[in-house]
Amino acid sequence: MSEIFTEELPRDFDGLRATILAQRERLPKRIAQIAAYALDNPDEIAFGTAASIAVSAGVQPSTLIRFAQHLGFDGFTSLQGVFRERLRERNSSYEDRLNTLRAGEGASGGNHRILDGFLTASRKSLDVMSRTLDEATLDRAIATLAEAETIYILARRRSFPIATYLAYALGKLGVRNQLVESAAGLSPEIISFATPKDAVLVVSFSPYAPATIEDARGLAERGVPLVAITDSAFSPLASVAQIWFEVAEADFGGFRTLSSTMALAMALAVGVGDARQAGRRRRRPRD
Protein backbone atom coordinates (compact mmCIF):
# COMPACT_ATOMS: atom_id res chain seq x y z
CA MET A 1 0.00 0.00 0.00
CA SER A 2 1.17 3.54 -0.76
CA GLU A 3 2.60 5.64 2.00
CA ILE A 4 0.13 7.82 3.88
CA PHE A 5 1.26 11.40 3.45
CA THR A 6 -0.49 12.98 6.41
CA GLU A 7 -0.09 12.22 10.08
CA GLU A 8 -3.28 14.02 11.10
CA LEU A 9 -6.56 12.85 9.64
CA PRO A 10 -8.41 15.74 7.97
CA ARG A 11 -11.68 16.23 9.84
CA ASP A 12 -13.35 18.78 7.57
CA PHE A 13 -13.33 19.79 3.92
CA ASP A 14 -11.08 22.80 4.42
CA GLY A 15 -8.52 20.64 6.21
CA LEU A 16 -8.77 18.00 3.52
CA ARG A 17 -8.32 20.57 0.76
CA ALA A 18 -5.30 22.12 2.52
CA THR A 19 -3.70 18.69 2.93
CA ILE A 20 -4.13 17.82 -0.74
CA LEU A 21 -2.82 21.17 -1.96
CA ALA A 22 0.19 21.02 0.32
CA GLN A 23 1.18 17.63 -1.10
CA ARG A 24 0.01 17.97 -4.72
CA GLU A 25 3.52 17.75 -6.18
CA ARG A 26 4.14 14.39 -4.50
CA LEU A 27 0.90 12.64 -5.40
CA PRO A 28 1.10 9.68 -7.79
CA LYS A 29 -0.50 10.38 -11.16
CA ARG A 30 -3.79 8.54 -10.61
CA ILE A 31 -4.15 9.79 -7.04
CA ALA A 32 -3.57 13.34 -8.28
CA GLN A 33 -6.23 12.78 -10.93
CA ILE A 34 -8.89 11.78 -8.42
CA ALA A 35 -7.74 14.50 -6.01
CA ALA A 36 -8.27 17.13 -8.69
CA TYR A 37 -11.68 15.69 -9.52
CA ALA A 38 -12.68 15.62 -5.85
CA LEU A 39 -11.80 19.28 -5.27
CA ASP A 40 -13.53 20.33 -8.50
CA ASN A 41 -16.64 18.21 -7.90
CA PRO A 42 -17.18 17.88 -4.14
CA ASP A 43 -20.95 17.40 -4.49
CA GLU A 44 -20.44 14.44 -6.80
CA ILE A 45 -18.05 12.86 -4.28
CA ALA A 46 -20.63 13.36 -1.53
CA PHE A 47 -23.58 11.89 -3.43
CA GLY A 48 -22.06 9.42 -5.89
CA THR A 49 -21.20 5.76 -5.57
CA ALA A 50 -17.64 4.55 -5.88
CA ALA A 51 -18.47 3.11 -9.30
CA SER A 52 -20.11 6.27 -10.67
CA ILE A 53 -17.40 8.56 -9.31
CA ALA A 54 -14.67 6.36 -10.79
CA VAL A 55 -16.31 6.54 -14.23
CA SER A 56 -16.68 10.33 -14.06
CA ALA A 57 -13.12 10.81 -12.84
CA GLY A 58 -11.67 8.37 -15.36
CA VAL A 59 -10.06 6.07 -12.79
CA GLN A 60 -10.61 2.59 -11.40
CA PRO A 61 -12.77 2.22 -8.25
CA SER A 62 -9.70 0.88 -6.44
CA THR A 63 -8.05 4.28 -6.98
CA LEU A 64 -10.72 5.84 -4.76
CA ILE A 65 -9.73 3.50 -1.94
CA ARG A 66 -6.05 4.27 -2.44
CA PHE A 67 -6.87 8.00 -2.46
CA ALA A 68 -8.72 7.68 0.86
CA GLN A 69 -5.91 5.64 2.41
CA HIS A 70 -3.33 8.21 1.24
CA LEU A 71 -5.24 10.72 3.32
CA GLY A 72 -5.28 8.46 6.38
CA PHE A 73 -8.85 7.17 6.10
CA ASP A 74 -9.63 3.49 6.44
CA GLY A 75 -11.71 3.50 3.28
CA PHE A 76 -13.58 5.58 0.75
CA THR A 77 -16.79 5.68 2.79
CA SER A 78 -15.01 7.42 5.65
CA LEU A 79 -13.56 9.99 3.26
CA GLN A 80 -16.97 10.50 1.68
CA GLY A 81 -18.29 11.48 5.09
CA VAL A 82 -16.10 14.62 5.01
CA PHE A 83 -17.66 15.68 1.72
CA ARG A 84 -21.16 15.03 3.05
CA GLU A 85 -20.41 17.07 6.17
CA ARG A 86 -19.34 19.92 3.89
CA LEU A 87 -22.79 19.85 2.31
CA ARG A 88 -24.48 19.92 5.70
CA GLU A 89 -22.39 22.92 6.69
CA ARG A 90 -23.00 24.67 3.38
CA ASN A 91 -26.72 23.96 3.44
CA SER A 92 -26.99 25.22 6.98
CA SER A 93 -27.80 28.54 5.27
CA TYR A 94 -26.52 32.04 5.68
CA GLU A 95 -28.90 32.48 8.60
CA ASP A 96 -27.06 29.75 10.51
CA ARG A 97 -23.73 31.39 9.70
CA LEU A 98 -25.04 34.66 11.10
CA ASN A 99 -26.19 32.86 14.23
CA THR A 100 -22.73 31.36 14.59
CA LEU A 101 -21.15 34.77 14.27
CA ARG A 102 -23.44 36.20 16.90
CA ALA A 103 -22.84 33.31 19.27
CA GLY A 104 -19.06 33.45 18.92
CA GLU A 105 -17.36 35.11 21.86
CA GLY A 106 -20.79 35.89 23.29
CA ALA A 107 -22.86 38.79 22.06
CA SER A 108 -20.27 41.36 23.06
CA GLY A 109 -18.98 43.67 20.38
CA GLY A 110 -21.99 43.28 18.13
CA ASN A 111 -21.63 44.71 14.68
CA HIS A 112 -18.22 46.18 15.41
CA ARG A 113 -16.91 42.70 16.22
CA ILE A 114 -18.23 41.48 12.85
CA LEU A 115 -16.47 44.34 11.09
CA ASP A 116 -13.25 43.62 12.98
CA GLY A 117 -13.52 39.98 11.95
CA PHE A 118 -13.71 40.84 8.27
CA LEU A 119 -10.94 43.41 8.56
CA THR A 120 -8.72 40.80 10.18
CA ALA A 121 -9.54 38.25 7.48
CA SER A 122 -8.83 40.83 4.79
CA ARG A 123 -5.47 41.73 6.28
CA LYS A 124 -4.57 38.04 6.43
CA SER A 125 -5.52 37.54 2.77
CA LEU A 126 -3.57 40.58 1.65
CA ASP A 127 -0.51 39.55 3.65
CA VAL A 128 -0.51 36.09 2.08
CA MET A 129 -0.76 37.57 -1.40
CA SER A 130 2.04 40.05 -0.70
CA ARG A 131 4.33 37.18 0.32
CA THR A 132 3.40 34.63 -2.32
CA LEU A 133 2.51 36.42 -5.57
CA ASP A 134 5.10 35.78 -8.26
CA GLU A 135 6.24 39.06 -9.84
CA ALA A 136 7.15 37.43 -13.14
CA THR A 137 3.65 35.95 -13.43
CA LEU A 138 2.14 39.37 -12.79
CA ASP A 139 4.34 40.93 -15.47
CA ARG A 140 3.43 38.24 -18.01
CA ALA A 141 -0.28 38.59 -17.28
CA ILE A 142 -0.20 42.36 -17.75
CA ALA A 143 1.80 42.02 -20.96
CA THR A 144 -0.66 39.47 -22.36
CA LEU A 145 -3.68 41.59 -21.53
CA ALA A 146 -2.04 44.81 -22.74
CA GLU A 147 -1.39 43.27 -26.17
CA ALA A 148 -4.99 42.15 -26.64
CA GLU A 149 -7.29 43.98 -29.03
CA THR A 150 -10.21 43.33 -26.67
CA ILE A 151 -10.13 41.94 -23.14
CA TYR A 152 -13.09 39.66 -22.45
CA ILE A 153 -13.96 39.48 -18.75
CA LEU A 154 -15.57 36.26 -17.60
CA ALA A 155 -16.90 35.61 -14.07
CA ARG A 156 -20.14 34.62 -12.41
CA ARG A 157 -21.74 34.30 -8.99
CA ARG A 158 -19.39 35.24 -6.15
CA SER A 159 -16.67 36.31 -8.60
CA PHE A 160 -18.93 38.67 -10.54
CA PRO A 161 -18.14 41.80 -8.46
CA ILE A 162 -14.51 41.43 -9.56
CA ALA A 163 -15.59 41.28 -13.20
CA THR A 164 -17.72 44.41 -12.96
CA TYR A 165 -14.88 46.34 -11.32
CA LEU A 166 -12.46 45.25 -14.06
CA ALA A 167 -14.88 46.35 -16.78
CA TYR A 168 -15.32 49.71 -15.06
CA ALA A 169 -11.62 50.31 -14.43
CA LEU A 170 -10.44 49.20 -17.87
CA GLY A 171 -13.10 51.35 -19.51
CA LYS A 172 -11.97 54.41 -17.54
CA LEU A 173 -8.39 53.66 -18.59
CA GLY A 174 -9.37 53.59 -22.26
CA VAL A 175 -8.80 49.84 -22.64
CA ARG A 176 -11.34 48.11 -24.87
CA ASN A 177 -13.05 45.31 -22.97
CA GLN A 178 -16.20 43.23 -23.02
CA LEU A 179 -17.93 41.98 -19.91
CA VAL A 180 -19.42 38.57 -20.70
CA GLU A 181 -22.81 39.17 -19.16
CA SER A 182 -26.23 39.35 -20.73
CA ALA A 183 -29.71 39.47 -19.24
CA ALA A 184 -30.97 38.21 -22.61
CA GLY A 185 -28.79 35.09 -22.42
CA LEU A 186 -26.44 36.21 -25.18
CA SER A 187 -23.18 35.28 -23.47
CA PRO A 188 -22.36 32.57 -26.07
CA GLU A 189 -22.80 35.12 -28.85
CA ILE A 190 -20.64 37.65 -27.01
CA ILE A 191 -17.71 35.29 -26.55
CA SER A 192 -18.06 33.97 -30.11
CA PHE A 193 -16.42 37.21 -31.29
CA ALA A 194 -13.21 36.55 -29.30
CA THR A 195 -10.16 35.66 -31.41
CA PRO A 196 -6.51 34.79 -30.67
CA LYS A 197 -5.78 38.50 -31.03
CA ASP A 198 -7.88 39.11 -27.92
CA ALA A 199 -7.48 37.83 -24.36
CA VAL A 200 -9.76 36.58 -21.62
CA LEU A 201 -9.52 37.46 -17.95
CA VAL A 202 -11.50 34.80 -16.09
CA VAL A 203 -12.23 34.55 -12.37
CA SER A 204 -13.72 31.54 -10.59
CA PHE A 205 -13.42 29.97 -7.15
CA SER A 206 -14.57 26.65 -5.72
CA PRO A 207 -17.32 25.59 -6.16
CA TYR A 208 -16.57 26.69 -9.72
CA ALA A 209 -19.46 28.00 -11.82
CA PRO A 210 -19.93 25.30 -14.51
CA ALA A 211 -20.80 27.85 -17.20
CA THR A 212 -17.59 29.80 -16.52
CA ILE A 213 -15.46 26.68 -16.81
CA GLU A 214 -17.22 25.58 -19.99
CA ASP A 215 -16.79 29.01 -21.60
CA ALA A 216 -13.12 29.18 -20.58
CA ARG A 217 -12.37 25.77 -22.06
CA GLY A 218 -14.11 26.68 -25.30
CA LEU A 219 -12.14 29.90 -25.61
CA ALA A 220 -8.86 28.13 -24.87
CA GLU A 221 -9.61 25.54 -27.56
CA ARG A 222 -10.04 28.38 -30.05
CA GLY A 223 -6.59 29.73 -29.15
CA VAL A 224 -7.73 32.79 -27.19
CA PRO A 225 -5.13 33.56 -24.46
CA LEU A 226 -6.53 33.11 -20.94
CA VAL A 227 -5.42 34.81 -17.73
CA ALA A 228 -7.15 33.20 -14.75
CA ILE A 229 -7.65 34.12 -11.11
CA THR A 230 -8.62 31.03 -9.14
CA ASP A 231 -7.95 29.29 -5.84
CA SER A 232 -6.14 26.04 -6.54
CA ALA A 233 -3.63 24.26 -8.71
CA PHE A 234 -6.41 21.69 -9.11
CA SER A 235 -8.84 24.31 -10.42
CA PRO A 236 -10.12 23.45 -13.91
CA LEU A 237 -8.98 26.93 -14.94
CA ALA A 238 -5.36 26.15 -14.08
CA SER A 239 -5.20 23.51 -16.80
CA VAL A 240 -6.55 25.73 -19.61
CA ALA A 241 -5.13 29.18 -18.79
CA GLN A 242 -1.82 30.38 -20.18
CA ILE A 243 -1.27 32.33 -16.97
CA TRP A 244 -3.06 31.83 -13.67
CA PHE A 245 -2.96 33.21 -10.15
CA GLU A 246 -3.75 31.20 -7.04
CA VAL A 247 -5.57 33.41 -4.55
CA ALA A 248 -6.39 32.11 -1.08
CA GLU A 249 -8.97 34.29 0.65
CA ALA A 250 -9.36 34.08 4.41
CA ASP A 251 -12.84 33.87 5.89
CA PHE A 252 -14.68 35.03 8.96
CA GLY A 253 -17.50 32.86 10.22
CA GLY A 254 -17.68 31.00 6.90
CA PHE A 255 -17.91 34.19 4.83
CA ARG A 256 -14.88 34.63 2.55
CA THR A 257 -13.56 38.06 1.76
CA LEU A 258 -12.62 39.27 -1.74
CA SER A 259 -9.95 41.68 -0.57
CA SER A 260 -6.86 40.14 -2.13
CA THR A 261 -8.73 39.23 -5.32
CA MET A 262 -9.85 42.84 -5.68
CA ALA A 263 -6.31 44.10 -5.03
CA LEU A 264 -4.99 41.80 -7.75
CA ALA A 265 -7.72 42.92 -10.14
CA MET A 266 -6.83 46.56 -9.49
CA ALA A 267 -3.15 45.84 -10.12
CA LEU A 268 -3.96 44.09 -13.40
CA ALA A 269 -6.25 46.87 -14.63
CA VAL A 270 -3.88 49.70 -13.75
CA GLY A 271 -0.88 47.74 -15.04
CA VAL A 272 -2.58 47.18 -18.38
CA GLY A 273 -3.53 50.86 -18.61
CA ASP A 274 0.04 51.90 -17.84
CA ALA A 275 1.49 49.44 -20.37
CA ARG A 276 -0.88 50.71 -23.06
CA GLN A 277 0.10 54.31 -22.35
CA ALA A 278 3.80 53.44 -22.44
CA GLY A 279 3.26 51.71 -25.79
CA ARG A 280 1.59 54.79 -27.24
CA ARG A 281 4.47 56.97 -26.09
CA ARG A 282 6.98 54.69 -27.81
CA ARG A 283 5.02 54.78 -31.06
CA ARG A 284 4.56 58.55 -31.03
CA PRO A 285 6.60 60.10 -33.84
CA ARG A 286 9.37 62.43 -32.73
CA ASP A 287 9.69 65.97 -34.02
Side-chain angles (χ1 to χ4, degrees):
M1 186 180 68
S2 301
E3 179 184 359
I4 295 173
F5 65 72
T6 178
E7 297 179 358
E8 184 177 353
L9 188 69
R11 296 296 181 183
D12 55 34
F13 183 76
D14 286 342
L16 176 66
R17 179 177 179 277
T19 298
I20 293 173
L21 294 180
Q23 301 294 333
R24 58 178 179 259
E25 301 299 332
R26 292 187 282 169
L27 291 175
K29 181 179 179 181
R30 290 302 181 189
I31 299 296
Q33 183 176 334
I34 189 61
Y37 179 85
L39 293 187
D40 290 347
N41 304 276
D43 292 358
E44 284 76 1
I45 298 293
F47 290 122
T49 64
S52 67
I53 294 168
V55 170
S56 298
V59 299
Q60 295 296 321
S62 60
T63 306
L64 299 178
I65 299 173
R66 290 171 49 218
F67 173 52
Q69 292 173 341
H70 261 74
L71 294 168
F73 295 91
D74 56 9
F76 179 67
T77 301
S78 299
L79 170 64
Q80 198 171 35
V82 175
F83 287 84
R84 290 175 176 171
E85 182 61 29
R86 167 190 169 272
L87 286 178
R88 284 192 287 270
E89 292 174 356
R90 187 182 68 179
N91 294 334
S92 64
S93 82
Y94 275 71
E95 182 178 356
D96 290 340
R97 296 185 194 183
L98 290 174
N99 290 336
T100 300
L101 284 177
R102 290 295 185 186
E105 300 178 8
S108 62
N111 293 324
H112 186 70
R113 185 181 66 82
I114 293 174
L115 174 61
D116 280 346
F118 283 115
L119 290 174
T120 299
S122 295
R123 283 191 290 267
K124 180 179 178 182
S125 297
L126 292 167
D127 181 60
V128 170
M129 172 165 285
S130 177
R131 289 187 286 104
T132 61
L133 186 71
D134 182 65
E135 186 175 342
T137 301
L138 181 62
D139 290 343
R140 287 194 298 119
I142 289 173
T144 297
L145 295 171
E147 292 170 1
E149 291 185 354
T150 300
I151 298 174
Y152 287 80
I153 306 168
L154 180 60
R156 294 179 174 89
R157 297 168 63 86
R158 174 173 167 261
S159 305
F160 192 67
I162 305 300
T164 55
Y165 168 78
L166 284 164
Y168 167 79
L170 290 171
K172 288 293 186 181
L173 290 164
V175 178
R176 187 164 64 183
N177 70 90
Q178 175 63 62
L179 179 62
V180 182
E181 187 272 338
S182 171
L186 296 176
S187 294
E189 285 76 10
I190 292 173
I191 63 176
S192 70
F193 290 103
T195 75
K197 294 182 179 180
D198 302 313
V200 180
L201 183 47
V202 55
V203 188
S204 188
F205 302 109
S206 179
Y208 311 101
T212 298
I213 304 306
E214 182 180 355
D215 288 345
R217 284 175 175 156
L219 287 159
E221 289 171 0
R222 286 162 41 198
V224 184
L226 262 68
V227 175
I229 301 175
T230 189
D231 57 0
S232 166
F234 288 124
S235 165
L237 291 180
S239 62
V240 298
Q242 287 187 341
I243 304 163
W244 62 278
F245 297 93
E246 182 175 353
V247 178
E249 294 282 8
D251 74 276
F252 176 60
F255 295 90
R256 289 193 186 96
T257 70
L258 282 171
S259 53
S260 57
T261 309
M262 183 61 77
L264 176 57
M266 295 174 71
L268 289 171
V270 174
V272 169
D274 183 60
R276 288 283 188 93
Q277 188 178 76
R280 287 192 294 268
R281 286 197 300 266
R282 287 193 299 269
R283 292 190 298 268
R284 188 176 301 156
R286 297 180 179 179
D287 295 335

